[in-house]
Amino acid sequence: MMNCASSPGSYSQSSLDSQDSSSSMSAPSPMSVTASPHPYQNILVLTPDQVVAELPYLRIIEQPVEKFRFRYKSEMMGTHGSILGRSSDRNRKKTYPTVELRNYDGPAIIRCSLYTTHQVMGERMPHTHRLVVRADNEDKDDPHDFAVSPEVGYRAVFQGMGIIHTAKKHIMDELVKKKRVRLLETLRARNVNITSLTTKDEIKIRSEAEAEAKRMNLNSVCLCFEAFVRENGVLKPICDPVYSSPINNMKSALTGELKICRIDKHVSSCLGNEEVFILVEKVGKKNIRIKFFELDDEDNEVWCDYGKFSELDVHHQYAIVFRTPPYRDTEIDKTVDVFLQLYRPTDGDCSEPIKFAYKPSDKTGRAARKRQRTSLTDEIPLPVALAQPTSNPLLASFVPPSQASPSVDQPNSEGSDLFEDILNECPNNGMNSSEFKEFMKNLSISSLVSTYVETFDANELLGDGDLPLDFCTMDISTDGSSKLTVTKRTTPLSRDPGIDATVAAKLSHVSKDDTQMQPRNCVQKETSMDGEQLAKWAVARLNELLLEKPPKHVLASKVHEIFGKKKDDGDGPLHCAILYDMKDLLKQMFTVLGKGQYRPIIDDRNLKDETPLHLAVMQNQHETVKTLLTIGANPNIITKQGDLPLHLAVSASHNECISELLRYNSSRDCNLTNYNGCTPLHIAAREKNLIAVMKLVNAGADVNKEDTLLGRTVLHVAVEEGCVDIARYLLEKTNIDVNAANYAGNTALHGAVVFEGPESRELCRLLLQYKANPRQENYILEGDGDVEFCTEVEIKEEPESEDDFDDEYQLRIAEGETEDEAINSKARGQTSLDLATNKKDILALLQKVVPAEVEEMVEIKEEPSDTPILEGVLGEVKNGLFDSETLMRLCDILDKSGGWQHLAELLDYKFLVTSIRSTASPSKLLFNYADLHGNVSIQDIRSFLEALDEHEAVEAVDLMLARRIASSSQIS
DNA sequence: TGTCATTTCCC
DNA sequence: CGGGAAATGAC
C-alpha cells in the first residue's frame, strides 16, 4: 500500500482493488461514498493509465533525520531540538519533514503522527511515544494536522516536532489512549453520531495494547502522513498513508550513532595481533564488531576482517581493546592503507571509517622494502628520487632545448651532486653538467612536483575543457623558456569523472606501468595528505628550496613553513618520516635540520604531544634516536600521557634506545613519573627487563622512589612480576629499602608471599636474606569513605525490622555499629606471616626468622657491597671494573670478535646472551652486568680473556692496570 | 556484584 | 538548544 501511494507509476488494477476493499483507513463504507462524492469518485471507470494521472497520493518531499534524541517527559522543560529534515545543513538551511499531496483539488488536511517502524501485529501501529509540538508552553500531542489547499499549495512542512520517550511503566496507558482516539475517529467517519466506544472495543484495545507494548521497539519510530478531507465535521481519507524512513533514538546503544572517538595507534604490523585501544560512543558489548577493510581504486571492498576481542574487552560501553587481524598479505613490503570502522550486527549500521595502515613485518625485511622503493610504481618523482634517475619517468620524456643556455650560475654544493648523478645516468641528453642544471632550473620540475601534492589542478594546467581528466600519461616538454608544455597522450582511464584532480595527476606520474596504478585515498580526498605523502612533500619542498638558494633568513622561515605543515593528528613531516621509517627522507631532513637553529622543529609535538623523538623511540629506530639526540632533540619532553621518551623506550623494552636516551637524560628525569605514576625504573621492572633496570640504576635512577599510584618501589614491582633476577640485583647491588611499604602498607615480602607462581618461594628467601621483616604489618583498611559507606548500607538493610524509627535513631545505630567494627578490625594489620597461612612452605621459611635474627641479618647486609678500593683512588671510574677508555676499547674488540659471548659463558652469564645480543654493544652490557653483579674481578676477566685468545683485549686490560698502579703510587 | 538500560538531572 | 552524566532500576 505504501508503495502504491509513494510511487504512482507502479499503480495497477490490483492495487486499486486492494485500496477499495482495504482497511478502515480507506473508508470503504458505501455510505460515505454516497453521502459525499469525492472529486475522484469516478475512478473505477477509468483505465489504470488514466488512474495514474488522476489518483491523489502523498509524496514525501523531505525525509526526517535518521537519528534524533528521544526525550523523557521529565526533560521536556525548556525547548530542545526538533526533528529536522534529512538534508538539513547544520549552519546553512534548516529543513523539516515535508510531504506533498498530489493530484488533488480543494482543501485538504495532511496529518502527521508517530507510528512504529515495522509491522507490529501484521500492520503498522501508532507508536507509544509521543510526537509533540510546543505551543504556548504546552506540548501538543500528535496527530498534527496541517491544512493545505490550492491557495497555499499542497506541501505540508512539519516544524518543531519532538519525540517524548514514554517511560516503560506508562507504555500501556499511552498506547490505550492513542488507540481510543483513533478508533473513535474511524468509527465517526462512518457514523458521525458515535461519541464513545463500547466496552467490547475497550477490551479489545486493551488486549491489543498489551500485546503491542511488549513488541514495540522503543528506539525507532516513523512518521505517518495521511491526507484527509473534512466533511460534516469528520475526516475522510483521501489516499493511503505514507510512512517516513525510521527515526532512531540517538541515546540508545541499540540504535545510537556508532563513532570512533579516539584510537591508540593507526598502524599495525601486517601480521596483526597488535593491541589497539579505541574510545567509542556508547556500544553494547554483545553487539559490536570492529571491521578492517581495504578498498581498491574503484572503491570496491577487496578485503575485510575483524578485530579480535571478547566481551570483557569492551570497557563500560565506551572503550574497546582489541587485537588487529592480520592483513591478507603478510609479505607486503610497503605500507598498505586500509580502513577501520565499528559495525553493529543487529542493524548492520557502521561508524565512519577511519584510516589505518598495515606496515611490513620486521621479518619480511627492510631490505625487501628498500628495493621496492626504487620501483616506478611506488615512487613519485621528487627531487629526492632524482638520485636514482632511472626511476624517474618524467626524465625520459624531456625534450632538451635545442640551444643550451650559455649562462651558468655556480651551483650550490647540494644540488651539484644530485645533478652529477643524473647526468651520468642520462648521457644522451647531450648537455654538459652546467647546461643541464640550467635546464632543470628553467623546467622548474620541483615546483610541478610539489604542486601535485598540494592539489594539483589538472584542469587548470591543461587548459579548461581542452583535455579531459581521464588521461593516464602525459609528455612534458619545454621550449627552453620556463614554460611547461603538457601534452595529452592516449589511454583513457574510463574512471569516475568525479575523481579529484589530485589523483589524476598522481596517475600521470606513475604511469609507466598501467597495470599497477593504484591511486590511494580516493575516499578521503578532501582531507589532508597521509603521512607518507606529507613526508615526501616536505622533502620535495626542501630540495626545491635548496636549489633556489634563498638568503638565510628566507631559508629559515621557509623551512619552518614547510615543517609547519601538519596532518590532522598533528604529525609534522618529521613525525611522518619516522612513522613510516623513510630513512632516505629522514636523512634529507636531518641535513637541513641539523644546522642548529631548528630546535623547535626537531621538538615539534603532535596532538598527543609526542615529539619525533618519542616516535622514533616507540619504533625502536635507535639510529634515528641517536641522530635526533645528536642534533639537539630534547629528551625531556613529556607526552599527554606524561611519558618521556625514556618511559616509552622502557615500556617497549627498546634497550638500544634506552641507552641512547640515558646519555642525554639527567638523573632527575630518570626518576620522573608518568601519568600512570611510574618511573622508567618501575616500568623496566614491570617489563621484566633486567638490562633496562641496570641501565637505569647506573644512570642514576632512584631505586627507592615510589610510584605515585600505589606507592611501590621498583622492588615491589619486581616481586609482583615474579622477577627473581631483578629483585636479586636490586637487593645485592643497590641500597634499596627492602622493607619499604607501599600505600597499603605492604612490603615486597607481602607481595612475594602472595605471588602466584613458583617464584614465590625464591623471592621470599631472597628478601629474607636481605633482612626483610616478616612481621611488618600492613595498614588496616579504614577511612571516612568506607565508614560512611557502611553506614548507608546499614540504614538500607535495616528498616525492614522497624518501620517507624526516625532519622536520628538510624544514625545513632549506624554510628555505633561502625565504631564497633572499627575497634574490632583495628587490632592490627596483616604481616607477611599472616598472609602465608595457606602456603606451608613459605610459612616455614618465614617462621625461621625470629625477631632476633632480623637484627643479625642487618649485619649480613653490609657485607656484599665490596666497595672497590680503587674507586676512591680513580675518580673517573664509571664501570667500576674498567675506566671508560679501556671499557670502550674492550667493547670494541669483543663486539667485533664476538668474544663477548664466550666471556659471558665463562662468567656464568650465559642467560644474558640472548637478551643483549641484538644491542648495539653487547660487551658493554656484559661488563656493566659483571660490574653490578659484583662477583667478578678484573683479574678474573683478564684470565678469561687470555683463555679466549683475546690478546688485544688482554693488552688493554694490562695497560689499564699499569696506569692505575702508576697513578696510585704517585698519589701515595 | 557487575553490567547495562532506563530515567532523571543539570550545565 | 544540545549535550553529558548521575541516579535508579532490572537482570
Side-chain angles (χ1 to χ4, degrees):
Chain A
M1 294 293 276
M2 180 185 123
N3 281 341
C4 299
S6 58
S7 51
S10 67
Y11 269 2
S12 64
Q13 188 58 54
S14 70
S15 72
L16 285 178
D17 290 348
S18 71
Q19 180 186 20
D20 189 43
S21 61
S22 74
S23 64
S24 54
M25 216 51 93
S26 302
S29 93
M31 189 174 166
S32 67
V33 172
T34 49
S36 55
H38 284 191
Y40 54 96
Q41 181 197 25
N42 56 347
I43 55 170
L44 291 180
V45 299
L46 294 173
T47 67
D49 280 354
Q50 288 169 306
V51 169
V52 168
E54 293 291 328
L55 194 65
Y57 65 95
L58 281 167
R59 182 44 155 295
I60 297 183
I61 303 299
E62 174 77 351
Q63 291 281 2
V65 286
E66 293 170 85
K67 312 254 177 199
F68 184 76
R69 173 157 168 189
F70 301 0
R71 285 186 181 271
Y72 288 88
K73 198 161 124 212
S74 65
E75 359 175 47
M76 286 307 284
M77 27 54 99
T79 64
H80 283 290
S82 65
I83 302 172
L84 298 177
R86 185 173 298 184
S87 58
S88 227
D89 195 323
R90 260 218 169 279
N91 23 23
R92 304 222 119 153
K93 217 176 260 161
K94 277 189 179 172
T95 65
Y96 299 92
T98 307
V99 283
E100 187 175 292
L101 177 60
R102 297 184 177 170
N103 293 345
Y104 190 78
D105 255 342
I109 285 168
I110 299 180
R111 166 176 289 184
C112 178
S113 46
L114 210 56
Y115 266 66
T116 57
T117 346
H118 299 288
Q119 298 185 342
V120 176
M121 311 287 290
E123 55 182 327
R124 296 209 197 213
M125 295 289 171
H127 200 283
T128 177
H129 291 344
R130 298 163 55 197
L131 182 68
V132 297
V133 171
R134 183 53 69 86
D136 312 327
N137 242 348
E138 285 282 315
D139 288 327
K140 191 190 166 298
D141 276 61
D142 57 329
H144 301 289
D145 292 342
F146 193 107
V148 291
S149 65
E151 293 76 42
V152 297
Y154 280 97
R155 282 200 176 185
V157 182
F158 291 93
Q159 294 192 32
M161 296 188 300
I163 295 171
I164 296 185
H165 191 308
T166 32
K168 277 239 167 95
K169 50 185 173 189
H170 296 134
I171 285 184
M172 272 291 285
D173 296 344
E174 278 301 327
L175 228 40
V176 168
K177 197 164 85 191
K178 281 197 181 189
K179 278 176 170 291
R180 264 209 208 106
V181 175
R182 297 237 145 221
L183 184 56
L184 190 58
E185 194 174 72
T186 3
L187 292 177
R188 280 174 58 83
R190 290 180 213 164
N191 181 353
V192 195
N193 300 322
I194 295 176
T195 52
S196 65
L197 298 173
T198 63
T199 348
K200 198 176 152 195
D201 284 336
E202 292 278 7
I203 290 169
K204 192 180 163 214
I205 284 175
R206 261 208 106 63
S207 72
E208 265 179 29
E210 214 158 311
E212 286 168 30
K214 286 182 195 139
R215 310 170 66 168
M216 185 132 343
N217 179 349
L218 296 181
N219 287 306
S220 194
V221 300
C222 268
L223 301 180
C224 168
F225 300 106
E226 296 159 285
F228 298 98
V229 58
R230 189 184 294 280
E231 286 167 5
N232 304 332
V234 298
L235 294 178
K236 299 202 166 139
I238 292 172
C239 61
D240 282 338
V242 294
Y243 299 92
S244 76
S245 55
I247 305 172
N248 294 306
N249 186 3
M250 184 126 69
K251 289 295 267 195
S252 160
L254 294 171
T255 54
E257 196 174 21
L258 289 171
K259 190 177 167 198
I260 298 174
C261 310
R262 287 191 91 173
I263 187 161
D264 197 15
K265 54 160 124 39
H266 293 82
V267 191
S268 159
S269 155
C270 60
L271 300 177
N273 210 34
E274 284 187 21
E275 198 170 67
V276 179
F277 287 56
I278 52 174
L279 302 190
V280 298
E281 287 298 345
K282 199 169 195 172
V283 296
K285 64 181 175 187
K286 290 181 171 40
N287 189 20
I288 192 70
R289 302 194 72 182
I290 298 167
K291 176 178 170 180
F292 285 74
F293 63 98
E294 184 187 13
L295 301 179
D296 65 8
D297 48 0
E298 307 281 312
D299 282 3
N300 299 314
E301 188 175 299
V302 292
W303 168 76
C304 112
D305 201 346
Y306 294 88
K308 284 168 278 187
F309 61 95
S310 74
E311 284 181 25
L312 293 175
D313 296 318
V314 179
H315 180 80
H316 292 315
Q317 305 184 282
Y318 289 104
I320 305 174
V321 181
F322 64 95
R323 288 185 177 276
T324 53
Y327 181 58
R328 63 184 161 117
D329 177 4
T330 52
E331 304 273 297
I332 51 172
D333 43 27
K334 65 189 174 94
T335 304
V336 181
D337 290 331
V338 298
F339 296 95
L340 168 62
Q341 68 184 176
L342 296 176
Y343 168 72
R344 183 166 47 211
T346 48
D347 62 355
D349 203 8
C350 290
S351 71
E352 278 294 303
I354 62 172
K355 287 179 85 172
F356 195 83
Y358 276 106
K359 60 172 193 262
S361 79
D362 286 341
K363 279 179 196 147
T364 46
R366 293 275 154 73
R369 171 143 53 136
K370 261 269 155 59
R371 277 198 301 283
Q372 177 65 25
R373 280 216 175 278
T374 64
S375 102
L376 277 183
T377 50
D378 183 40
E379 199 69 34
I380 298 155
L382 305 176
V384 192
L386 293 183
Q388 304 144 352
T390 48
S391 71
N392 187 330
L394 286 179
L395 213 52
S397 314
F398 288 156
V399 182
S402 48
Q403 75 288 17
S405 167
S407 68
V408 175
D409 286 352
Q410 202 57 346
N412 66 36
S413 57
E414 280 104 326
S416 170
D417 293 337
L418 213 59
F419 292 150
E420 227 63 81
D421 284 348
I422 294 165
L423 263 191
N424 292 338
E425 291 291 328
C426 306
N428 294 338
N429 279 328
M431 290 181 283
N432 63 32
S433 165
S434 43
E435 284 166 355
F436 186 65
K437 278 168 212 156
E438 188 62 22
F439 166 64
M440 287 294 284
K441 234 192 207 167
N442 288 337
L443 186 58
S444 185
I445 176 175
S446 41
S447 68
L448 167 65
V449 171
S450 59
T451 327
Y452 133 67
V453 197
E454 273 179 334
T455 359
F456 180 88
D457 188 340
N459 282 320
E460 196 179 309
L461 183 69
L462 300 175
D464 217 355
D466 188 11
L467 296 167
L469 271 178
D470 60 346
F471 59 87
C472 73
T473 62
M474 55 183 183
D475 284 343
I476 299 181
S477 62
T478 173
D479 58 5
S481 74
S482 56
K483 251 218 145 105
L484 268 181
T485 314
V486 181
T487 329
K488 179 202 169 192
R489 237 220 248 159
T490 62
T491 329
L493 260 175
S494 73
R495 287 179 52 87
D496 172 9
I499 190 169
D500 76 336
T502 307
V503 178
K506 184 174 185 173
L507 288 176
S508 72
H509 286 265
V510 296
S511 59
K512 266 295 158 68
D513 183 348
D514 287 6
T515 59
Q516 293 208 27
M517 286 185 294
Q518 287 189 359
R520 281 175 272 168
N521 313 320
C522 295
V523 172
Q524 301 212 350
K525 58 191 175 190
E526 304 289 64
T527 64
S528 62
M529 303 177 226
D530 70 26
E532 272 182 285
Q533 285 176 341
L534 180 59
K536 287 178 180 173
W537 172 87
V539 171
R541 295 299 301 268
L542 278 181
N543 282 294
E544 181 187 339
L545 199 57
L546 292 176
L547 290 179
E548 282 169 16
K549 291 202 298 176
K552 269 193 183 146
H553 63 280
V554 177
L555 178 74
S557 83
K558 292 259 180 186
V559 169
H560 278 288
E561 198 178 296
I562 291 170
F563 281 95
K565 183 113 178 166
K566 301 289 181 61
K567 273 201 312 153
D568 294 344
D569 53 9
D571 281 341
L574 191 49
H575 289 97
C576 294
I578 289 169
L579 274 177
Y580 291 91
D581 198 12
M582 302 158 98
K583 292 232 166 57
D584 295 342
L585 300 194
L586 274 176
K587 212 162 158 186
Q588 305 247 350
M589 292 183 186
F590 285 146
T591 53
V592 178
L593 296 178
K595 298 288 154 68
Q597 69 271 45
Y598 295 121
R599 287 282 174 78
I601 293 176
I602 294 167
D603 291 332
D604 188 26
R605 304 170 193 218
N606 66 15
L607 294 184
K608 292 191 228 164
D609 272 2
E610 294 157 341
T611 62
L613 185 60
H614 283 102
L615 299 188
V617 162
M618 284 190 262
Q619 308 254 331
N620 201 14
Q621 298 172 15
H622 54 273
E623 286 301 331
T624 305
V625 169
K626 190 172 182 175
T627 312
L628 281 168
L629 289 167
T630 315
I631 65 175
N634 181 353
N636 299 324
I637 294 175
I638 61 172
T639 66
K640 292 218 165 122
Q641 300 299 308
D643 288 313
L644 291 169
L646 185 59
H647 287 101
L648 300 178
V650 177
S651 289
S653 293
H654 291 157
N655 287 356
E656 291 110 317
C657 294
I658 297 174
S659 302
E660 296 298 341
L661 290 166
L662 285 178
R663 274 190 246 283
Y664 293 85
N665 274 100
S666 72
S667 56
R668 182 183 60 83
D669 302 312
C670 283
N671 295 320
L672 193 77
T673 55
N674 65 9
Y675 296 159
N676 292 325
C678 292
T679 66
L681 198 52
H682 288 97
I683 300 172
R686 198 189 64 209
E687 295 297 322
K688 311 185 186 188
N689 186 341
L690 173 60
I691 301 291
V693 170
M694 289 176 7
K695 285 182 182 189
L696 287 162
V697 170
N698 275 359
D702 177 2
V703 288
N704 286 313
K705 172 107 181 180
E706 296 173 343
D707 80 273
T708 54
L709 194 63
L710 299 169
R712 300 167 299 182
T713 66
V714 58
L715 184 59
H716 284 100
V717 180
V719 167
E720 275 172 24
E721 296 295 333
C723 264
V724 180
D725 58 347
I726 293 180
R728 177 180 294 125
Y729 163 77
L730 290 168
L731 292 165
E732 281 183 2
K733 287 295 148 195
T734 73
N735 63 347
I736 197 159
D737 178 2
V738 70
N739 285 318
N742 68 12
Y743 294 157
N746 290 316
T747 64
L749 187 57
H750 283 92
V753 169
V754 299
F755 183 78
E756 299 283 344
E759 294 86 357
S760 172
R761 189 187 167 85
E762 184 58 25
L763 286 168
C764 289
R765 201 202 311 274
L766 195 60
L767 289 163
L768 291 171
Q769 187 189 339
Y770 287 91
K771 71 154 188 177
N773 179 4
R775 295 170 210 286
Q776 187 165 326
E777 292 172 14
N778 63 15
Y779 307 141
I780 303 147
L781 289 178
E782 55 180 348
D784 290 349
D786 284 341
V787 170
E788 264 177 33
F789 180 68
C790 286
T791 320
E792 296 200 349
V793 170
E794 298 301 335
I795 290 173
K796 269 188 186 161
E797 285 178 353
E798 282 312 303
E800 293 291 350
S801 54
E802 281 209 46
D803 271 330
D804 56 344
F805 56 161
D806 64 322
D807 289 351
E808 256 192 359
Y809 182 53
Q810 282 184 38
L811 208 59
R812 262 202 317 253
I813 290 194
E815 276 171 359
E817 287 193 2
T818 25
E819 257 176 43
D820 283 347
E821 270 179 23
I823 289 166
N824 283 338
S825 55
K826 209 161 217 161
R828 60 179 185 86
Q830 290 179 304
T831 66
S832 300
L833 281 162
D834 295 329
L835 294 176
T837 45
N838 59 350
K839 282 188 173 182
K840 285 232 176 94
D841 54 336
I842 303 278
L843 188 59
L845 262 180
L846 300 183
Q847 282 170 336
K848 275 193 211 154
V849 185
V850 293
E853 274 180 296
V854 176
E855 300 299 317
E856 282 176 34
M857 295 192 72
V858 176
E859 284 158 35
I860 297 173
K861 163 77 179 182
E862 304 302 329
E863 181 253 330
S865 57
D866 50 341
T867 339
I869 305 160
L870 284 173
E871 195 170 327
V873 183
L874 306 165
E876 34 101 35
V877 173
K878 271 255 180 64
N879 179 275
L881 287 166
F882 305 105
D883 61 55
S884 56
E885 194 187 326
T886 312
L887 186 62
M888 249 161 66
R889 177 113 184 83
L890 284 177
C891 292
D892 212 36
I893 295 165
L894 296 178
D895 283 345
K896 274 203 189 107
S897 71
W900 63 269
Q901 291 197 46
H902 305 292
L903 182 61
E905 275 183 53
L906 289 169
L907 291 167
D908 275 334
Y909 297 153
K910 197 173 175 186
F911 62 94
L912 277 180
V913 171
T914 24
S915 46
I916 65 178
R917 175 177 288 135
S918 57
T919 63
S921 173
S923 307
K924 189 159 182 193
L925 296 182
L926 181 63
F927 285 127
N928 279 346
Y929 188 83
D931 170 42
L932 295 161
H933 211 265
N935 53 4
V936 193
S937 70
I938 293 178
Q939 278 308 324
D940 289 339
I941 292 176
R942 188 187 174 283
S943 55
F944 287 148
L945 288 173
E946 205 155 34
L948 292 169
D949 284 335
E950 295 280 0
H951 302 301
E952 245 185 300
V954 175
E955 265 175 47
V957 175
D958 286 343
L959 188 64
M960 181 191 77
L961 291 174
R963 271 204 307 256
R964 286 193 183 173
I965 290 162
S967 62
S968 63
S969 65
Q970 256 179 21
I971 289 170
S972 60

